Amino acid sequence: FNRLQNFQACLGIPLPASTQWDKVEAGADKIYPAFEELKRQAAQGRVVHNDDTAMKILELIKQNEEGRNPDSRKGMFTTGIVSVTGPATIALFLTGRAHAGENIADVLENRDPLLPPPIQMCDALSRNFSGCGKVLLAHCNAHSRRNFVDVADNFPDQCEYVLTVFEKIYENDALCKSRGMDDMRRLEFHRQNSGPIMEKFEQWLDCQFQLRNVEPNSGLGKAISYALEHWEKLTLFLSVPGVPLDNNVCEQILKRAILNRKNGLFYKTLHGAYVGDMYMSLIHTCVMNGINPFDYLTSLQIHSSEVFKNPGRWMPWNYKEEMSALACADSPLPTEHSELAA
């Protein structure tokens, strides 16, 4: 807002940062039920991805400096959550002291108890775990692969084999997508074509330590230890239908939060962070589902009263149907004269 204020001042147009905030907050007051509904529907997803990135909130930083923080935690994060539901893919951004595992646990509190446990995809960082015990936990193969990429210059021969393994696995997954396979057919395809590759790969990983080909404390040794330690969760796609190979989709949406951090540097208050999360979540959910976010946000504000009454009918993927229904309801019934004229 300050940057826009200074830029507009150069053009001779007064646009105070406070005025910009007033407009943004007024818009948020009209549409926030859609954001809360988006979180509720995200809890019903069959696959949920999560990760987080650092963020600054001046209000919380001041609490830390003055010793008014109710607990000893000083970190601040923006959590990205991607939930794959039946009709759509939902993107959520949640900013505050809570880390990714705590945020996804809060979201899943709204899950229908009759639904089966969702698949949670994340990397193996401890703060990504929900700890609620109500998920099938899977880990990111791209993260494991990256560990080997980082040491490839020092261990070219060994890493060449590892990267070839991951290349074949991803080729198989791309083939499943290109053929339009459902989750069960994809699972069977991976079992037949990727299973033997991963079994041989696990044996190779074990042999590196058993034959003392690799020093455990070396870069390659740590990459191997990570893969072996999390092997069951890295290969969950071979035993459970619908498990993705990686968490890339969540890391991609976090680039939006990182770009926001680079542009704005920080949030002033927790309330400001909530408003920012609301707009980013609604906008990026629109983008992920091929919906025009400008049209969607405009429609929410125009029909704010209806959004408050039934926010579930004003999601990005169904709001046009609701608008059509309202238009039909508002249209007057044709009179006898108008029918004759027609």
Side-chain angles (χ1 to χ4, degrees):
F1 292 156
N2 287 324
R3 289 182 180 183
L4 287 174
Q5 172 184 297
N6 294 333
F7 176 73
Q8 294 295 339
C10 294
L11 303 177
I13 302 172
L15 187 63
S18 58
T19 299
Q20 296 178 61
W21 165 249
D22 288 343
K23 294 294 185 183
V24 168
E25 186 180 33
D29 287 342
K30 294 181 178 181
I31 67 174
Y32 73 86
F35 179 44
E36 296 301 319
E37 175 65 16
L38 199 68
K39 290 191 282 187
R40 189 196 69 79
Q41 294 203 21
Q44 319 310 318
R46 58 184 178 84
V47 182
V48 288
H49 302 252
N50 69 301
D51 203 352
D52 56 22
T53 186
M55 182 55 70
K56 292 181 179 179
I57 304 174
L58 298 188
E59 179 182 47
L60 300 188
I61 292 175
K62 187 175 182 180
Q63 288 180 4
N64 292 343
E65 293 173 347
E66 296 177 352
R68 294 187 291 110
N69 183 9
D71 54 38
S72 59
R73 181 180 298 178
K74 295 186 177 181
M76 286 155 262
F77 309 94
T78 291
T79 294
I81 296 174
V82 176
S83 176
V84 181
T85 66
T89 299
I90 296 173
L92 293 179
F93 296 88
L94 305 169
T95 301
R97 291 197 188 276
H99 54 61
E102 293 168 329
N103 281 321
I104 200 169
D106 288 342
V107 169
L108 292 178
E109 283 296 318
N110 296 313
R111 187 174 180 83
D112 185 341
L114 298 179
L115 290 174
I119 299 164
Q120 180 189 352
M121 167 55 72
C122 60
D123 62 53
L125 193 65
S126 60
R127 71 178 188 224
N128 288 332
F129 302 158
S130 64
C132 62
K134 301 176 183 178
V135 298
L136 296 175
L137 187 60
H139 284 338
C140 175
N141 279 279
H143 190 87
S144 179
R145 178 185 180 278
R146 199 175 303 134
N147 291 336
F148 292 96
V149 171
D150 291 341
V151 299
D153 290 341
N154 297 326
F155 305 93
D157 295 335
Q158 296 95 324
C159 290
E160 181 180 5
Y161 165 69
V162 174
L163 297 182
T164 299
V165 168
F166 283 110
E167 181 181 4
K168 292 178 180 177
I169 300 305
Y170 274 87
E171 284 179 354
N172 288 340
D173 203 54
L175 194 59
C176 293
K177 293 178 182 178
S178 67
R179 294 180 179 178
M181 296 184 186
D182 60 20
D183 288 345
M184 289 305 301
R185 290 175 59 203
R186 173 180 175 269
L187 173 63
E188 187 59 31
F189 184 87
H190 270 303
R191 280 177 173 172
Q192 292 180 4
N193 297 277
S194 303
I197 297 173
M198 296 303 282
E199 183 178 355
K200 183 179 178 182
F201 180 38
E202 183 183 19
Q203 294 172 356
W204 181 88
L205 292 171
D206 283 327
C207 286
Q208 302 312 300
F209 288 150
Q210 293 176 5
L211 301 178
R212 298 189 177 183
N213 293 334
V214 176
E215 168 58 43
N217 291 325
S218 66
L220 180 60
K222 292 178 180 178
I224 292 174
S225 295
Y226 178 93
L228 289 174
E229 182 179 354
H230 304 290
W231 186 257
E232 181 180 352
K233 296 178 180 64
L234 289 169
T235 58
L236 195 65
F237 70 96
L238 295 174
S239 57
V240 177
V243 176
L245 290 184
D246 54 50
N247 199 34
N248 287 352
V249 65
C250 190
E251 295 186 6
Q252 289 165 5
I253 75 159
L254 277 179
K255 291 180 180 178
R256 302 299 95 201
I258 293 169
L259 181 61
N260 179 48
R261 184 179 66 207
K262 291 173 67 176
N263 287 334
L265 303 181
F266 51 79
Y267 289 111
K268 185 177 180 181
T269 65
L270 268 175
H271 176 59
Y274 175 85
V275 172
D277 290 341
M278 178 195 309
Y279 280 112
M280 284 202 299
S281 299
L282 293 173
I283 289 171
H284 205 68
T285 297
C286 285
V287 171
M288 296 185 79
N289 292 280
I291 307 297
N292 185 313
F294 183 82
D295 291 344
Y296 175 63
L297 292 177
T298 302
S299 299
L300 290 185
Q301 293 186 71
I302 292 173
H303 300 282
S304 177
S305 60
E306 286 81 7
V307 174
F308 272 77
K309 292 176 185 176
N310 197 333
R313 295 180 180 176
W314 292 91
M315 295 291 94
W317 50 88
N318 64 6
Y319 83 100
K320 289 185 178 180
E321 298 173 7
E322 187 64 15
M323 288 182 62
S324 297
L326 289 174
C328 292
D330 292 338
S331 299
L333 292 175
T335 63
E336 182 179 353
H337 180 73
S338 63
E339 290 176 349
L340 290 173

